[in-house]
Amino acid sequence: MPEKTAPPNSPGPLEQTLAALAAAYPGLQQADPYTIGARLGDVRLTPQRTARYAWAGYQVQVSVGHEDHLDRDNPDSPVLYREVRADATLLVPQAVGVDGIGHVEWERTNSQAAMVFPAAVAVAVADQHDPRFAAAVLSTVAKSLAYARLATAHAVVQAEQAADEVRWESERPAGVSPRKWLRDNRARWDAAAS
């Protein structure tokens, strides 16, 4: 009689998170603390409970809080959790020098220019050796990168609109109110966009 084999187990939260990360952010890696040959799912923290991840020019700084009673729905619950916070930045590869407006004694160049995006915050189980903890950290990293993508897309639209407004002001006929001119051009821009 052939042996009955158990149906394959469904993937756990860490495996599901790793599969989604591989599809959405190929090449995502933990940059600090770094261990040669470590898997992405082997979440490592510094003694200060921080980690840094890198993907396509983005850096994601992760900080993990102390064990705490974070279940506000059930104040009597003895279960402890940890807050996970991830902040993404987009590093600018060259030094950025921009002409300023107004008086300064001398210009300085920002040698570490970066764009900072909204933070992602989540709650994880308290046990750092539980695969659900690693899944929560990585999921929060992914959410932070998603915020960065959304904010970048929004910034592109805002930059285009700001450039249009500067151009419109330079084209404003003498004697026309700046507010009316801007309002009319915005109405035309909105009509063309829809």
Side-chain angles (χ1 to χ4, degrees):
M1 179 174 249
E3 286 184 40
K4 291 185 178 180
T5 58
N9 292 339
S10 62
L14 179 57
E15 290 77 20
Q16 291 174 352
T17 302
L18 288 169
L21 280 173
Y25 305 104
L28 176 68
Q29 60 185 347
Q30 184 166 355
D32 183 49
Y34 181 74
T35 301
I36 295 173
R39 295 178 337 116
L40 183 60
D42 300 333
V43 171
R44 299 164 309 282
L45 300 175
T46 66
Q48 296 78 25
R49 294 181 317 281
T50 63
R52 189 169 38 87
Y53 290 81
W55 177 74
Y58 292 94
Q59 297 286 320
V60 180
Q61 183 68 35
V62 175
S63 60
V64 176
H66 293 284
E67 293 180 351
D68 195 4
H69 297 280
L70 297 176
D71 188 353
R72 304 296 183 233
D73 294 334
N74 185 2
D76 298 328
S77 172
V79 179
L80 297 175
Y81 297 96
R82 293 181 187 270
E83 183 177 276
V84 179
R85 180 184 176 98
D87 295 278
T89 57
L90 177 60
L91 304 177
V92 179
Q94 70 275 0
V96 176
V98 177
D99 293 334
I101 296 175
H103 172 77
V104 296
E105 296 304 317
W106 63 83
E107 295 288 339
R108 305 272 323 247
T109 301
N110 184 350
S111 61
Q112 295 182 338
M115 293 175 15
V116 181
F117 301 99
V121 182
V123 174
V125 296
D127 181 5
Q128 295 180 29
H129 302 291
D130 187 323
R132 294 175 301 161
F133 175 81
V137 168
L138 294 171
S139 176
T140 309
V141 168
K143 190 175 189 181
S144 176
L145 289 169
Y147 286 165
R149 283 181 170 174
L150 291 170
T152 302
H154 179 70
V156 167
V157 171
Q158 288 298 115
E160 289 173 354
Q161 186 174 0
D164 284 341
E165 290 182 10
V166 169
R167 183 177 46 80
W168 296 335
E169 178 58 26
S170 70
E171 298 169 351
R172 181 172 55 89
V176 176
S177 159
R179 283 184 162 172
K180 180 180 181 341
W181 182 252
L182 184 59
R183 185 176 56 245
D184 292 347
N185 278 292
R186 276 188 188 151
R188 281 194 291 275
W189 189 79
D190 289 343
S194 60

